[in-house]
Amino acid sequence: MITTAVSPYLQGNFSPVQAEITVNDLPVIGELPANLCGRFVRNGPNPQFSPPDRYNWIDGDGMLHSIEILNSQASYRNRYVQTRGFKIEQRTGRGIWKGLTEPPQLNNPHNNLFGPFKNTANTALMWHADRLLALWEGGEPYEIELPTLKTVGPYTYHGQLSSPLTAHPKVDAITGEMMFFGYSPLQPPYLQYSVVSATGKIIKTVPIDLPIGVMMHDFAITENYTVFMDLPLTFRTERLQHRESAYMFEANCPSRFGILPRHGDSRSVHWFEVSTCYVLHTLNAYEIGDEVILIACRAMDAKVLNIPNKTKLNHHQEDRPILYRWRLNLRTGAVQEEAIDNLASEFPSINQQYLGRQNRYGYTAKMIPTGIPDFTFDGLLKYDFTSGESQLHEFGLGRYGGEAVFVPCPNGVKEDDGWLLTFVYDTAQKTSELIVVNAQSFTDEPVARILLPQRVPYGFHGTWISD
């Protein structure tokens, strides 16, 4: 069984749940919109056994939590992602793999098959070409059956997949193409970039030259370009000899953004050096004239991932992510940077119909001021990039949530015509619910609160699959 005495990510609502259940006809406070029909599915870490060493939030086995909404009624289902590593530990009856930020077990007998780290498939989800994939950036995705959430198995695009698949692929809503990358911290090519057709076939994979392996969690696309972030969260095997984490933030290494045409290769990358930073998640990118504008949650280092710094930073910004904007001029090479807000927030999201195109609105999850653990959120922020204004939706006293997924209203005309869906945990009642917030009446109470039959631990990323 899981113990909760060591890591803050094994306590409170970060601690895992063991029961896999299915419950229909959930109670609803308020009224579910009649035209909100589909499934909200969220991924997140949920270890089935105590880890053999220190536990970080990113290390747990993937568990999917699904809310199906149909005819203003809702049902709940949760299932583990049955990865190969999960099944081995299930048969063994104990945790085998150390976490990503720990020195890997080089004598692990399973390394020959799976490498030094376990693919947990715990980070995000992608619906593309009529297929749902559970994602983890260090390996292959896992196909998930709907509505059962049964794990079909690893999905390699019929053997076409030649690299890991990022946790954050991007789908162009106009062309239907999906772009993804895979990074390898151990040996070149440290980065590979792929384009998938609207029908689900990998049509190209090219290596992108990097000087050293880095942890690259996210990227961005525009209508014509792909934007990579070569940031100084480096991976060096020599640190393992000193029993250090192979990952470390090296502020003396350059922070760079690379822009290449969507169907380009390493020779066509235009690199821009920016001030030292780490970006876990991007909100969006788009083009205006010669400029590519990137909006993302920027931190001064990688402390939010509990990864140490090799070089002491001299700065005044709090070591927590804030929403930020870069303007990168492809003609002149000029870079402009500016903070959009000073409130710490993460897990940015938008109306996905505007991905890669200029968007007016963006949403983030607002971090609590003390931030222990860091990924605790007490509300949502809505940004209007035209007016420069922002609004706050508060979850309420003792209530905390996470990433909000934007669901566009069918036949909606305006960009923010839709709803934001997120799980919220009530610490006093020790209960969880899914809230539905009208994005156009953002500061109002949720239009509906779906009360859940069991606690849903804090997690990572979700998606909406329209009915």
Side-chain angles (χ1 to χ4, degrees), residues 3 96 264 276 288 338 348 373 379 398:
T3 60
I96 295 174
T276 301
I288 296 181
E338 62 176 338

Side-chain angles (χ1 to χ4, degrees), residues 287-335:
E287 306 160 34
I288 296 181
D290 295 323
E291 288 186 327
V292 168
I293 290 86
L294 173 66
I295 301 176
C297 292
R298 174 191 186 271
M300 296 296 294
D301 52 39
K303 282 186 178 179
V304 73
L305 293 175
N306 294 321
I307 293 176
N309 295 327
K310 182 177 181 181
T311 309
K312 182 176 177 59
L313 296 176
N314 295 312
H315 58 73
H316 301 290
Q317 182 192 316
E318 183 184 13
D319 296 334
R320 307 178 78 207
I322 61 173
L323 201 62
Y324 207 80
R325 181 189 290 113
W326 294 263
R327 296 181 179 273
L328 312 169
N329 194 301
L330 289 166
R331 181 176 57 84
T332 67
V335 176

Side-chain angles (χ1 to χ4, degrees), residues 54-318:
R54 291 179 296 180
Y55 176 77
N56 195 319
W57 195 30
I58 59 179
D59 296 331
D61 299 293
M63 176 174 276
L64 307 180
H65 300 265
S66 171
I67 304 292
E68 182 179 1
I69 301 173
L70 184 64
N71 298 326
S72 298
Q73 295 182 315
S75 61
Y76 169 81
R77 182 191 310 260
N78 71 306
R79 297 292 186 272
Y80 274 108
V81 183
Q82 300 263 345
T83 65
R84 294 185 290 182
F86 175 94
K87 291 179 178 179
I88 289 174
E89 291 184 331
Q90 190 177 56
R91 290 195 299 267
T92 307
R94 62 182 176 86
I96 295 174
W97 280 271
K98 289 186 177 181
L100 284 171
T101 58
E102 296 299 308
Q105 302 154 285
L106 300 180
N107 60 347
N108 188 327
H110 303 289
N111 285 355
N112 290 337
L113 290 176
F114 305 110
F117 302 109
K118 178 176 61 172
N119 181 345
T120 55
N122 71 0
T123 311
L125 294 153
M126 174 55 69
W127 174 264
H128 183 246
D130 296 327
R131 181 172 279 109
L132 181 63
L133 300 177
L135 306 171
W136 179 77
E137 63 201 57
E140 71 276 5
Y142 276 77
E143 183 177 358
I144 304 299
E145 179 183 273
L146 288 177
T148 64
L149 299 185
K150 176 184 176 182
T151 303
V152 178
Y155 186 71
T156 64
Y157 289 87
H158 307 290
Q160 287 186 296
L161 186 65
S162 60
S163 75
L165 196 150
T166 176
H168 295 290
K170 309 297 181 186
V171 174
D172 187 318
I174 305 300
T175 69
E177 291 176 311
M178 184 177 86
M179 278 57 68
F180 73 85
F181 68 87
Y183 68 86
S184 168
L186 294 172
Q187 60 186 10
Y190 295 121
L191 179 65
Q192 295 188 73
Y193 164 58
S194 298
V195 179
V196 183
S197 71
T199 58
K201 179 180 180 181
I202 296 179
I203 57 179
K204 71 176 300 179
T205 296
V206 296
I208 305 296
D209 295 330
L210 296 180
I212 188 173
V214 296
M215 179 182 278
M216 186 184 300
H217 183 65
D218 202 356
F219 74 130
I221 64 168
T222 71
E223 183 178 356
N224 297 293
Y225 297 100
T226 298
V227 185
F228 292 112
M229 301 182 293
D230 178 20
L231 304 176
L233 180 46
T234 63
F235 187 96
R236 298 185 190 271
T237 55
E238 56 265 30
R239 286 195 278 257
L240 298 176
Q241 300 172 3
H242 304 287
R243 300 189 65 79
E244 297 177 330
S245 170
Y247 282 110
M248 194 168 289
F249 188 84
E250 300 188 60
N252 58 324
C253 293
S255 294
R256 307 189 303 163
F257 294 154
I259 301 177
L260 74 157
R262 177 175 297 183
H263 294 280
D265 56 28
S266 196
R267 295 169 297 180
S268 54
V269 180
H270 190 149
W271 289 104
F272 295 82
E273 190 161 332
V274 299
S275 56
T276 301
C277 66
Y278 189 70
V279 173
L280 193 61
H281 297 114
T282 65
L283 184 142
N284 197 22
Y286 55 90
E287 306 160 34
I288 296 181
D290 295 323
E291 288 186 327
V292 168
I293 290 86
L294 173 66
I295 301 176
C297 292
R298 174 191 186 271
M300 296 296 294
D301 52 39
K303 282 186 178 179
V304 73
L305 293 175
N306 294 321
I307 293 176
N309 295 327
K310 182 177 181 181
T311 309
K312 182 176 177 59
L313 296 176
N314 295 312
H315 58 73
H316 301 290
Q317 182 192 316
E318 183 184 13

